[in-house]
Amino acid sequence: MNMDASATLLSSGSGGRGLHRFANPGRFLRLSGKVLPWLAAFALVLTLIGLGWGLFFAPADWQQGDAVRIMYIHVPAAWLASSGYLGLAICSVLSLVWRHPLADLAAMEIGPVGAGATFLCLATGSLWGKPMWGAWWVWDARLTSVLVLFFLYLGHIALVRAFDSPERGARAGAILALVGVVNLPIIKFSVDWWNTLHQPASISFTGSPTMYVGMLWPLLFSALGMTFGFAAIVVARTRAGVMERRIRGLLLARAQQEAGARLEAAAS
């Protein structure tokens, strides 16, 4: 079943009434085409401001020195690694429950981007850990759980492409994504549940930040810019996937028409 037919079924079903306006691939292409340039522009401007401010103008930490500047890349990458996987899980729910035709494709495109963010988180964390802990890697609870997250991303990438039927691959990947969600609270609360080398969070939704404001603002700019960049890449990849599937469907339909015409000609 192609994406346009799936969108029609979704819009007619009672469970998809609230989602039907986002299920049509043509509507998605039109809307995303307007949003994508703004996402890319915000991502570029905010990331350049955040990284330029943090790497060259923000004060060094009194204890860690200039090594703390890795934070302006590491912390946004860590945020995107977890939030990207949460987005992957949400797409999986939309796919399994409501059969949203764009959810499978979005999940497929989130996987590589999220894996890249997780790898960047691990790499920068290793660079930060060497001067702080004296080792490139320790089997710390936070580091280990993020490594598990990276493997979950890789498993999802491999699984959705392991079947001849895209529907079977998408369903298997969705199940894996939902099972892996249990790792997200472990990542978040590992520094509170166990004695770890990793420092606790400096920014909390329920309390005041423990970071100097001159370091906090560039971090927020960098995190916001990289978040817009993550979204822009996922939207661009999803747009490309929709167009690729449309082209493949048109080519398949043309091949079937030509085969039917040849059969009719041979029969006559």
Side-chain angles (χ1 to χ4, degrees):
M1 181 181 294
N2 59 38
M3 295 185 66
D4 294 302
S6 299
T8 303
L9 289 177
L10 176 60
S11 62
S12 62
S14 58
R17 289 175 183 172
L19 300 171
H20 74 278
R21 65 182 61 186
F22 305 109
N24 186 278
R27 185 176 292 112
F28 168 77
L29 290 176
R30 290 191 297 272
L31 178 62
S32 61
K34 297 177 181 179
V35 172
L36 184 58
W38 290 100
L39 285 176
F42 281 126
L44 181 62
V45 172
L46 292 175
T47 302
L48 287 177
I49 292 175
L51 292 183
W53 188 353
L55 296 178
F56 300 107
F57 299 104
D61 184 73
W62 69 274
Q63 190 174 19
Q64 302 183 36
D66 285 325
V68 77
R69 300 187 190 278
I70 302 175
M71 167 184 68
Y72 300 107
I73 301 175
H74 174 73
V75 173
W79 152 256
L80 291 175
S82 295
S83 59
Y85 196 88
L86 181 60
L88 183 65
I90 292 173
C91 288
S92 299
V93 172
L94 292 176
S95 171
L96 292 175
V97 178
W98 286 286
R99 299 293 193 270
H100 197 293
L102 288 176
D104 291 334
L105 186 56
M108 181 180 293
E109 303 305 335
I110 289 174
V113 187
T118 310
F119 178 80
L120 181 61
C121 172
L122 291 169
T124 53
S126 180
L127 292 173
W128 196 358
K130 178 61 176 176
M132 295 300 102
W133 302 336
W136 296 104
W137 178 268
V138 293
W139 291 103
D140 180 89
R142 171 64 63 83
L143 274 67
T144 304
S145 55
V146 173
L147 181 62
V148 170
L149 180 66
F150 181 61
F151 288 139
L152 285 170
Y153 272 121
L154 295 183
H156 184 272
I157 293 170
L159 195 58
V160 296
R161 293 164 174 82
F163 295 87
D164 293 333
S165 170
E167 290 78 13
R168 293 178 60 193
R171 174 158 298 202
I175 294 173
L176 174 64
L178 293 179
V179 171
V181 167
V182 69
N183 190 47
L184 295 183
I186 296 176
I187 294 174
K188 171 64 178 175
F189 298 108
S190 57
V191 294
D192 301 319
W193 293 344
W194 296 287
N195 293 323
T196 68
L197 291 176
H198 198 285
Q199 68 185 49
S202 300
I203 303 174
S204 172
F205 291 108
T206 58
S208 301
T210 60
M211 185 184 303
Y212 173 61
V213 68
M215 302 168 69
L216 175 63
W217 277 109
L219 178 61
L220 293 178
F221 270 93
S222 180
L224 190 58
M226 292 178 67
T227 300
F228 278 119
F230 188 100
I233 295 172
V234 170
V235 170
R237 289 178 60 95
T238 305
R239 281 175 55 84
V242 170
M243 291 185 283
E244 180 183 355
R245 290 192 178 186
R246 281 191 160 189
I247 292 172
R248 189 184 301 120
L250 290 173
L251 292 176
L252 179 60
R254 179 179 296 179
Q256 291 174 344
Q257 290 176 355
E258 292 176 352
R262 285 195 297 267
L263 289 175
E264 291 179 1
S268 60

